[in-house]
């Protein structure tokens, strides 16, 4: 055939695909006048006609889901198997399935919340009765799924879609390390299966990272079609209001929340912050709910539905409510504290104004933000020493994560994250029953982690610069995300002047003060000894006997709290010298005791030994004994040199460092519970072991009290 004939053939295929795609799009959205946005058909054609690998970087609301739904239906009509959609969050999966149902696409998910449905899903896959299968990235390494289901699914897969693909990049490595495993999946896929990666936020570095993963091939790298559009959304009206402290930020929110358009999201950097702000707003009469990673799944689903129906004014949320949450008419996004990067910030503000002409986006940064960023950044980064310890302890017999905890002094959550990273790196392998080494030589990639740390510092500085810039805020965000179309928006506070009020109602200020001054956080007693304690010489397992447990206790506040948290963070900073209790802390501690609904009033006071703050704890215990007119029993005696180890380790090692180190045999207990005083409660094992010793020595009950709860 001649070159002209080739061109006519190509034009004919393109025309046929465009007609079919447009018909499908209109059926999906239910509108006969629907047309493609710039880049949508190009992406669909690349997938359907060319069976290419494509990366789509387009702002939230552009229609990325339309691309993979239309492409899926066209491919299915041509005999292709089901699309596998890798999606990171349950909330996002729920929205994607709902959107698929509206579009006539048969979509189902396999995730941690619907194990009872897996058998039906697999049967429907065998019957070719599913168009889209949604999976979390972690499911790809579930031993049963990986070994028994995935091989057949790979052979039949019609298309692979990776949603929120920025998680492939180093930027998202600690959020979802399993995303890095997608390169292995891509290498296993048959030739000619199209692959689509989508994201709303990616700078040039992230785009390059994603393209490299998509280009993975058995023989030679594969070209990746990148379709990138402008990130600005004309509906968003950005602003930054810098206020002096948490009191002022809360008071502003109390004063003006009711004036914000429609319903929206109020973001907090910490779980405790979200919970405290939601409580404060509810007490002031606002219909809001807290939404965090600790919120029950059913409650999360209910809260999402209430927000979508505009039956609440706002959800006060952590980043758990973010990527992919679909409410086109979301009226506002407020941040109490700034995320650590423009990428994260744009992800969250992108929830607003998707189908409205106007949406308000206001950042209320706090001076504590960089400290919180540093905490989360360092908590997630694996270290050479920890990695080598884990690899050294693994052998031919698979070890579960709890069993491994007894061999390495790493807490459960960071240990699980480290194992995932090592698995992705090829050093360990997850099998039924736990983890085994692969035997492949492993080297700590110090250069990579230094690069990640350096990139994060740059992005944190960009966020600080965003707060203080006198240029257009939307243009600033676009430039930090390497968007070549960046231009002044004409709407933000720097372009058009301050659009938000700055006054604070006096009553709101008083309510904020009262909320921040509120003290008293429950300390729940431990009820079970950790698995594997016997490996470290602690002859305990199973449930803690009820007559050897502590009673429910109280802490003055959490270190992450908006109010007293700042005072306590300063107090327990290693650079702060030990000193007796201040009058303010004394008054706050007394307030906790006054509000404590104990079943029986304490009969005595006892201090726990403190290596770092002996003056502080002794003065606190004496003050509480004095105000309560209770006998002070002094400090709990120690044996064998006292507790060893450092706070922050895992349960097994922390328990081993405390076991048989307290000696209550010389104490004489007056009638009534013993009020036991500690400084910072972290793992709760110090209180647990001390309570056991005291109960066995004759104490009627043990009431723990601490100045701070670490989390």
């Amino acid at each position: 055939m001649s070159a002209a004939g080739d061109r006519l053939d190509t034009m004919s295929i393109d025309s046929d695909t465009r007609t079919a795609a447009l018909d499908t799009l209109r059926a999906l959205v239910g509108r006969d006048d629907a047309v493609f946005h710039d880049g949508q058909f190009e992406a669909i054609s690349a997938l359907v006609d060319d069976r290419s690998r494509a990366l789509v970087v387009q702002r939230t609301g552009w229609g990325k889901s339309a691309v993979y739904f239309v492409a899926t239906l066209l491919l299915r009509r041509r005999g292709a198997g089901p699309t596998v959609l890798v999606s990171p969050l349950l909330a996002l999966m729920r929205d994607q399935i709902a959107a698929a149902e509206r579009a006539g696409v048969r979509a189902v998910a396999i995730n941690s919340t619907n194990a009872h449905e897996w058998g039906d899903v697999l049967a429907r896959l065998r019957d070719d009765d599913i168009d889209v299968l949604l999976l979390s990235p972690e499911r790809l390494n579930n031993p049963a799924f990986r070994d028994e289901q995935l091989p057949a699914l790979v052979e039949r897969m019609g298309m692979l879609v990776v949603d929120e693909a920025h998680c492939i990049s180093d930027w998202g490595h600690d959020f979802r390390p399993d995303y890095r495993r997608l390169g292995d999946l891509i290498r296993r896929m048959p030739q000619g299966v199209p692959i689509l990666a989508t994201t709303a936020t990616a700078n040039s570095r992230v785009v390059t990272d994603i393209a490299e993963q998509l280009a993975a091939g058995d023989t030679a790298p594969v070209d990746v079609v990148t379709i990138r559009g402008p990130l600005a959304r004309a509906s968003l009206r950005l602003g930054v209001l810098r206020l002096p402290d948490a009191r002022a930020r809360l008071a502003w929110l109390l004063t003006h929340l009711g004036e914000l358009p429609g319903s929206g999201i109020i973001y907090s950097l910490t779980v405790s912050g979200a919970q405290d702000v939601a409580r404060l707003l509810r007490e002031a009469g606002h219909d809001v709910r807290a939404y965090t990673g600790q919120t029950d799944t059913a409650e999360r689903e209910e809260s999402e539905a209430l927000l979508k129906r505009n039956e609440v004014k706002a959800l006060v949320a952590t980043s758990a409510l973010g990527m992919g949450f679909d409410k086109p008419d979301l009226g506002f996004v407020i941040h109490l504290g700034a995320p650590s990067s423009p990428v994260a910030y744009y992800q969250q503000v992108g929830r607003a104004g998707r189908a409205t002409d106007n949406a308000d986006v206001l950042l209320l940064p706090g001076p504590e933000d960089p400290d919180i960023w540093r905490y989360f950044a360092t908590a997630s980064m694996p270290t050479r020493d920890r990695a080598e310890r884990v690899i050294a302890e693994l052998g031919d017999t698979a070890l579960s994560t709890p069993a491994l905890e007894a061999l390495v002094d790493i807490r459960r959550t960071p240990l699980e994250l480290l194992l995932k990273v090592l698995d992705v790196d090829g050093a360990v392998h997850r099998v039924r029953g736990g983890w085994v080494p692969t035997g492949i030589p492993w080297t700590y990639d110090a250069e990579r982690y230094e690069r990640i740390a350096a990139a994060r510092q740059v992005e944190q500085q960009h966020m600080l610069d965003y707060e203080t810039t006198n240029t257009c805020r939307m243009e600033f965000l676009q430039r930090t995300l390497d968007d070549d179309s960046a231009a002044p928006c004409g709407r933000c506070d720097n372009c058009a002047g301050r659009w938000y009020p700055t006054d604070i109602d006096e009553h709101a200020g008083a309510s904020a003060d009262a909320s921040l001054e509120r003290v008293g956080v429950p300390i729940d007693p431990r009820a079970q000894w950790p698995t594997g304690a016997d490996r470290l010489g602690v002859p305990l397992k199973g449930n803690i006997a009820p007559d050897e447990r502590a009673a429910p206790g109280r802490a003055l506040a959490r270190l992450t709290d908006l109010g007293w948290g700042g005072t306590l963070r300063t107090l327990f900073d290693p650079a702060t010298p030990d000193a007796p209790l201040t009058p303010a802390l004394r008054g706050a501690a007394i307030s906790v005791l006054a509000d404590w609904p104990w079943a029986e009033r304490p009969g005595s006071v006892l201090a726990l030994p403190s290596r770092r703050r002996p003056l502080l704890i002794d003065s606190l215990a004496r003050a509480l004994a004095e105000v309560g007119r209770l006998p002070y029993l002094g400090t709990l005696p120690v044996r064998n040199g006292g507790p060893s180890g450092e706070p922050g380790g895992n349960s097994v090692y922390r328990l081993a460092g405390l076991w048989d180190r307290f000696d209550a045999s010389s104490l004489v207990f007056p009638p009534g519970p013993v009020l036991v005083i500690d400084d910072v409660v972290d793992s709760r094992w110090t209180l647990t072991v001390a309570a056991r010793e005291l109960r066995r020595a004759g104490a009627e009950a043990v009431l723990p009290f601490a100045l701070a709860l670490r989390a």
Side-chain angles (χ1 to χ4, degrees):
M1 184 179 289
S2 68
D6 286 341
R7 284 195 299 274
L8 287 172
D9 247 9
T10 301
M11 291 171 62
S12 175
I13 292 172
D14 181 82
S15 176
D16 291 345
T17 303
R18 180 180 288 275
T19 299
L22 188 58
D23 289 344
T24 304
L25 174 71
R26 289 173 173 172
L28 292 181
V29 300
R31 288 181 52 189
D32 292 337
D33 60 344
V35 295
F36 287 115
H37 297 151
D38 288 345
Q40 279 184 316
F41 175 71
E42 289 76 8
I44 292 168
S45 178
L47 297 166
V48 174
D49 294 329
D50 303 331
R51 305 297 175 100
S52 294
R53 300 181 181 186
L55 168 60
V56 172
V57 183
Q58 297 282 1
R59 63 181 180 269
T60 302
W62 171 84
K64 295 182 286 294
S65 61
V67 170
Y68 51 72
F69 285 149
V70 170
T72 292
L73 291 177
L74 295 184
L75 287 167
R76 295 284 280 159
R77 291 172 194 166
R78 299 184 185 190
T83 290
V84 172
L85 171 57
V86 179
S87 186
L89 297 175
L90 293 177
L92 179 52
M93 284 191 185
R94 289 192 287 271
D95 280 344
Q96 287 164 324
I97 290 175
E101 289 175 351
R102 293 192 299 270
V105 178
R106 298 168 297 180
V108 296
I110 290 181
N111 58 50
S112 58
T113 68
N114 69 343
H116 59 288
E117 299 176 0
W118 293 356
D120 291 341
V121 171
L122 295 174
R124 289 182 62 189
L125 280 171
R126 287 192 295 270
D127 294 341
D128 200 27
D129 189 40
I130 288 174
D131 298 318
V132 177
L133 175 66
L134 290 90
L135 300 172
S136 68
E138 287 80 3
R139 184 60 41 191
L140 297 173
N141 199 39
N142 174 276
F145 183 83
R146 181 194 64 212
D147 299 336
E148 298 171 13
Q149 312 298 336
L150 188 58
L153 184 59
V154 167
E155 288 300 318
R156 295 186 52 243
M157 191 186 306
M159 180 169 65
L160 174 65
V161 177
V162 182
D163 206 8
E164 306 299 348
H166 55 269
C167 295
I168 288 178
S169 162
D170 285 341
W171 177 84
H173 92 282
D174 54 348
F175 172 67
R176 276 298 203 273
D178 288 281
Y179 260 87
R180 291 175 52 214
R181 196 185 314 281
L182 288 166
D184 296 332
L185 174 61
I186 290 170
R187 279 185 284 271
R188 295 170 55 186
M189 290 170 55
Q191 292 292 322
V193 175
I195 301 173
L196 171 66
T198 68
T199 182
T201 47
N203 56 23
S204 295
R205 175 177 62 82
V206 173
V207 168
T208 299
D209 287 348
I210 298 171
E212 288 176 354
Q213 291 279 351
L214 296 187
D218 291 329
T219 54
V222 179
D223 289 337
V224 175
V225 177
T226 299
I227 298 173
R228 183 168 186 171
L231 297 180
R233 187 182 300 126
S235 62
L236 298 184
R237 184 167 61 163
L238 303 176
V240 176
L241 177 57
R242 298 174 66 85
L243 295 169
D245 51 32
R247 173 201 178 275
R249 296 197 299 276
L250 291 178
W252 185 93
L253 193 59
L254 283 168
T255 303
H256 298 291
L257 177 58
E259 303 164 10
L260 294 172
S263 57
I265 300 173
I266 302 166
Y267 278 108
S268 170
L269 295 184
T270 66
V271 170
S272 61
Q275 293 169 341
D276 290 346
V277 171
R279 184 194 66 229
L280 171 63
L281 293 173
R282 283 196 303 270
E283 290 172 352
H286 295 288
D287 196 356
V288 303
R289 282 188 166 205
Y291 186 111
T292 76
Q294 296 180 12
T295 305
D296 177 75
T297 300
E299 185 179 342
R300 282 205 232 180
E301 291 184 25
E302 182 182 30
S303 295
E304 292 166 21
L306 289 172
L307 181 61
K308 289 177 181 179
R309 296 195 300 265
N310 295 314
E311 294 177 11
V312 292
K313 181 64 177 178
L315 297 185
V316 187
T318 63
S319 57
L321 181 67
M323 291 184 292
F325 176 73
D326 186 16
K327 177 176 167 55
D329 63 339
L330 196 75
F332 64 87
V333 171
I334 305 294
H335 279 81
L336 295 178
S340 60
S341 74
V343 176
Y345 184 62
Y346 196 79
Q347 269 285 346
Q348 292 174 357
V349 303
R351 301 304 105 213
R354 297 175 60 179
T356 61
D357 293 334
N358 298 287
D360 290 342
V361 173
L362 185 63
L363 170 63
L364 284 70
E368 70 279 3
D369 294 350
D371 291 336
I372 296 173
W373 300 342
R374 280 190 292 272
Y375 170 79
F376 285 119
T378 57
S380 64
M381 199 74 74
T383 65
R384 183 195 307 271
D385 175 64
R386 286 185 166 194
E388 291 176 345
R389 270 188 283 156
V390 168
I391 294 172
E393 293 294 347
L394 293 175
D396 294 336
T397 302
L399 284 178
S400 67
T401 306
L404 193 54
E405 269 189 298
L407 303 174
V408 294
D409 190 9
I410 306 172
R411 282 190 169 180
R412 178 71 59 86
T413 298
L415 177 58
E416 290 174 339
L417 175 61
L418 177 57
L419 285 165
K420 287 183 178 182
V421 171
L422 291 174
D423 189 359
V424 174
D425 286 348
V428 305
H429 188 55
R430 186 181 174 194
V431 297
R432 292 179 185 269
W435 300 88
V436 295
T438 61
I440 299 173
W442 179 85
T443 302
Y444 181 75
D445 193 348
E447 186 276 331
R448 176 171 175 263
Y449 290 115
E450 288 170 3
R451 187 178 71 247
I452 294 172
R456 284 181 170 167
Q457 289 177 357
V458 170
E459 289 168 352
Q460 289 172 10
Q461 186 57 52
H462 283 163
M463 204 62 225
L464 295 174
D465 293 341
Y466 171 79
E467 296 171 12
T468 58
T469 185
N470 56 10
T471 64
C472 172
R473 297 198 191 276
M474 181 60 77
E475 182 181 16
F476 183 97
L477 288 175
Q478 288 180 269
R479 292 195 185 283
T480 60
L481 295 172
D482 299 314
D483 181 357
D484 293 336
S485 69
C489 70
R491 293 172 56 86
C492 71
D493 55 354
N494 285 341
C495 285
R498 182 174 288 170
W499 51 264
Y500 42 82
T502 59
D503 63 296
I504 293 175
D505 178 77
E506 183 177 340
H507 178 71
S511 297
D513 281 336
S515 177
L516 294 172
E517 288 297 318
R518 183 173 298 176
V519 291
V521 179
I523 301 174
D524 296 323
R526 284 193 176 272
Q528 196 165 37
W529 300 110
T531 302
D534 57 318
R535 294 173 182 251
L536 296 183
V538 180
L540 298 170
K541 63 179 180 179
N543 292 331
I544 300 173
D547 60 356
E548 295 183 353
R549 296 180 192 174
R554 289 291 185 277
L556 192 152
R558 305 178 191 90
L559 289 176
T560 54
D561 282 350
L562 295 174
W564 280 95
T567 299
L568 293 172
R569 287 194 298 271
T570 300
L571 177 67
F572 292 111
D573 188 291
T576 302
D578 184 25
L581 194 70
T582 65
L585 281 170
R586 180 181 184 276
I590 292 171
S591 295
V592 175
L593 298 189
D595 294 336
W596 194 335
W598 46 47
E600 184 180 359
R601 188 176 187 273
S604 57
V605 178
L606 176 74
L608 291 184
S610 174
R611 286 177 282 178
R612 292 179 177 82
R613 307 284 171 184
L615 290 176
L616 176 67
I617 295 309
D618 180 68
S619 65
L620 172 61
R622 290 182 184 276
L624 297 182
E626 178 184 1
V627 75
R629 298 180 181 178
L630 302 172
Y632 177 42
L633 305 182
T635 300
L636 178 61
V638 298
R639 62 165 70 99
N640 300 325
S644 62
E646 296 293 327
N650 68 34
S651 288
V652 176
Y653 275 81
R654 190 71 188 123
L655 176 59
L658 295 160
W659 176 246
D660 203 29
R661 302 302 174 95
F662 296 126
D663 182 7
S665 60
S666 63
L667 297 176
V668 177
F669 302 103
V674 182
L675 183 65
V676 174
I677 310 302
D678 201 2
D679 48 11
V680 180
V681 172
D682 188 1
S683 66
R684 291 173 290 156
W685 285 116
T686 299
L687 290 173
T688 301
V689 174
R692 180 179 186 273
E693 179 68 21
L694 292 168
R695 295 295 304 275
R696 289 166 69 92
E700 292 181 20
V702 173
L703 298 171
F705 175 80
L707 286 174
L709 191 63
R710 192 167 295 278

